[in-house]
Amino acid sequence: MEQNFYTVLGIAPAATQQEVKQAYKKLAVKYHPDKNPNNKLAEDRFKLVNTAYQVLSNPGKRARYDLKLQYLRERERVIQQYQPYYNDRYRYTRQPAPVSERYYRPIRTEKHEFSRKDLYITIAFVSGILLFSLLLKVVMDHIAGEDKYKTALTYIADGKYSSAHRMLSDAINFKPEHAAAYKERGWLELNVFEDYEAALQDFNQAIAYQKKPSADVYFMRGVSRQHLASYLQAEADLNRAIHLNEKLWDAYLARGEVRLFYLQKYKPALSDFSTYLRYGTDKEKRVTALTYRGFGYYKIEAHKLSEHDYRRALATDKENGRVNYLMGRTKMELQEPDSACIYFNQAYELGYSAALLELRANCY
């Protein structure tokens, strides 16, 4: 819009009310009809100047007029920007052709065949998803297995053996190659539940999944095999345990028991018991070792040595009916029947029923 009320008065859009008034007075005097008689152009100009003044001198009208000018300027800018769309040259064209005059060209669509490259991409994508899923499962199973294993250890420390056994089984389900879990579960089955067959299977798994199985595992498997009457295999496992740990004193005691009572290897058995008595510190097990060694000496007819070991055992545990009975038999071999009867009677009073037969046969 080239001309507006501001250009009519010859002022800037930011002109003050005083400047509007001064410009109006100046132009009103210039184009007043009294000064321009019979001048149609001056009369029209005077009317336009008066109209402009009426609008611009009123703040409310001026504000609305400014908004209108802003709108017209923006519209003009848009028209100039999109001139081709508003140009009469482009606006008026012939009417669209009727259907009969139109030519429709069919759109060609290419048929995509599943190529070998597409097959490889699909296989790689599916394999990637499967591999990721597998790795995720392995990681989660490992975490769950370790968590249940650690929980089982706390249960064992608290004496909650059934809960511990269940947790160890869960740990193995999540992590089938968890050697430590097999070992702990085998320990429970051997020492708490006395399920020797299950214990043996767990120790087999623990050994299979360990790169370097510990002496403890071989020791416990040997004890399990002893209870299952597999004495040669039990001795082999105990040999292996001692080879791996020469200071595993309990293994000497267990191997001596197998050799003495089941394999009749009396001298090697005596050597095992002597080793335990030299280094072992458990009071109850020392009594057992003395009793077994005394019986070993009895079997090889070293009765004085047998008597010596039984005395040592009774010095620690005088209420042991079995040792009293064995001492009575040794005394009979030493031709001391009166002393033997005292020991047989003591054994019987302590509840060792086998002593009654010896009493009847030798003392009544």
Side-chain angles (χ1 to χ4, degrees), residues 270 294 296-307 330 334:
L270 291 171
Y297 284 137
Y298 178 88
K299 296 295 289 186
I300 63 173
E301 300 183 354
H303 298 120
K304 282 292 182 180
L305 294 176
S306 176
E307 179 189 16
T330 300
L334 292 173

Side-chain angles (χ1 to χ4, degrees), residues 269-289:
L270 291 171
S271 176
D272 284 338
F273 296 137
S274 296
T275 300
Y276 183 83
L277 289 168
R278 190 178 302 117
Y279 301 106
T281 58
D282 185 273
K283 182 178 178 180
E284 185 176 347
K285 291 179 180 179
R286 287 184 62 83
V287 171
T288 300

Side-chain angles (χ1 to χ4, degrees), residues 5 8-9 23-29 31 42-55:
F5 289 158
V8 168
L9 295 181
Y24 167 69
K25 287 182 178 181
K26 181 179 179 181
L27 293 174
V29 171
Y31 294 111
E43 182 180 355
D44 292 339
R45 192 66 179 177
F46 178 78
K47 291 179 180 180
L48 183 58
V49 169
N50 188 57
T51 302
Y53 176 70
Q54 293 298 322
V55 172

Side-chain angles (χ1 to χ4, degrees), residues 87-340:
N87 196 312
D88 290 343
R89 176 183 176 186
Y90 300 102
R91 183 176 298 176
Y92 301 104
T93 60
R94 64 169 289 195
Q95 293 294 324
V99 175
S100 60
E101 296 181 11
R102 298 178 189 175
Y103 171 73
Y104 295 95
R105 184 176 62 181
I107 299 176
R108 297 180 60 185
T109 58
E110 296 183 1
K111 186 177 181 181
H112 182 74
E113 296 182 357
F114 196 76
S115 64
R116 180 174 295 181
K117 180 180 179 181
D118 295 331
L119 176 62
Y120 292 155
I121 293 174
T122 302
I123 293 174
F125 179 73
V126 174
S127 300
I129 292 177
L130 293 176
L131 180 61
F132 175 78
S133 301
L134 179 61
L135 290 175
L136 182 62
K137 183 180 184 303
V138 169
V139 171
M140 294 305 295
D141 286 351
H142 175 80
I143 294 173
E146 287 298 319
D147 180 65
K148 291 184 179 296
Y149 171 70
K150 292 177 181 178
T151 303
L153 295 182
T154 61
Y155 283 155
I156 291 174
D158 294 337
K160 300 176 181 178
Y161 299 123
S162 296
S163 297
H165 189 278
R166 184 174 62 255
M167 281 294 170
L168 290 169
S169 298
D170 290 343
I172 291 170
N173 286 334
F174 281 109
K175 193 177 177 183
E177 297 182 3
H178 202 312
Y182 282 111
K183 177 183 175 183
E184 294 299 329
R185 191 172 72 174
W187 181 89
L188 288 173
E189 290 160 347
L190 172 63
N191 297 293
V192 178
F193 304 112
E194 297 182 355
D195 186 349
Y196 304 119
E197 185 64 40
L200 176 62
Q201 293 177 6
D202 278 344
F203 293 136
N204 285 338
Q205 294 294 89
I207 291 172
Y209 291 128
Q210 281 183 317
K211 292 182 179 179
K212 294 181 178 181
S214 65
D216 290 338
V217 181
Y218 283 108
F219 165 65
M220 289 188 288
R221 190 173 74 169
V223 174
S224 299
R225 283 175 165 169
Q226 176 188 344
H227 286 289
L228 294 171
S230 299
Y231 302 120
L232 289 174
Q233 290 179 315
E235 183 187 30
D237 276 340
L238 294 169
N239 288 340
R240 181 64 175 170
I242 292 171
H243 175 74
L244 292 173
N245 183 4
E246 294 180 353
K247 296 181 179 181
L248 187 58
W249 311 125
D250 286 351
Y252 289 96
L253 180 58
R255 187 175 68 176
E257 182 180 355
V258 171
R259 287 173 168 177
L260 174 64
F261 293 106
Y262 307 110
L263 301 180
Q264 286 76 50
K265 297 179 179 180
Y266 300 126
K267 290 185 179 181
L270 291 171
S271 176
D272 284 338
F273 296 137
S274 296
T275 300
Y276 183 83
L277 289 168
R278 190 178 302 117
Y279 301 106
T281 58
D282 185 273
K283 182 178 178 180
E284 185 176 347
K285 291 179 180 179
R286 287 184 62 83
V287 171
T288 300
L290 285 168
T291 304
Y292 289 170
R293 191 173 71 171
F295 184 72
Y297 284 137
Y298 178 88
K299 296 295 289 186
I300 63 173
E301 300 183 354
H303 298 120
K304 282 292 182 180
L305 294 176
S306 176
E307 179 189 16
H308 180 263
D309 278 347
Y310 290 148
R311 287 190 184 278
R312 289 178 62 188
L314 288 173
T316 302
D317 184 12
K318 63 181 180 180
E319 301 297 322
N320 192 315
R322 181 183 186 185
V323 177
N324 277 281
Y325 169 76
L326 292 173
M327 176 65 95
R329 291 186 60 183
T330 300
K331 286 293 186 179
M332 291 296 296
E333 295 294 333
L334 292 173
Q335 305 299 316
E336 299 178 17
D338 294 339
S339 180

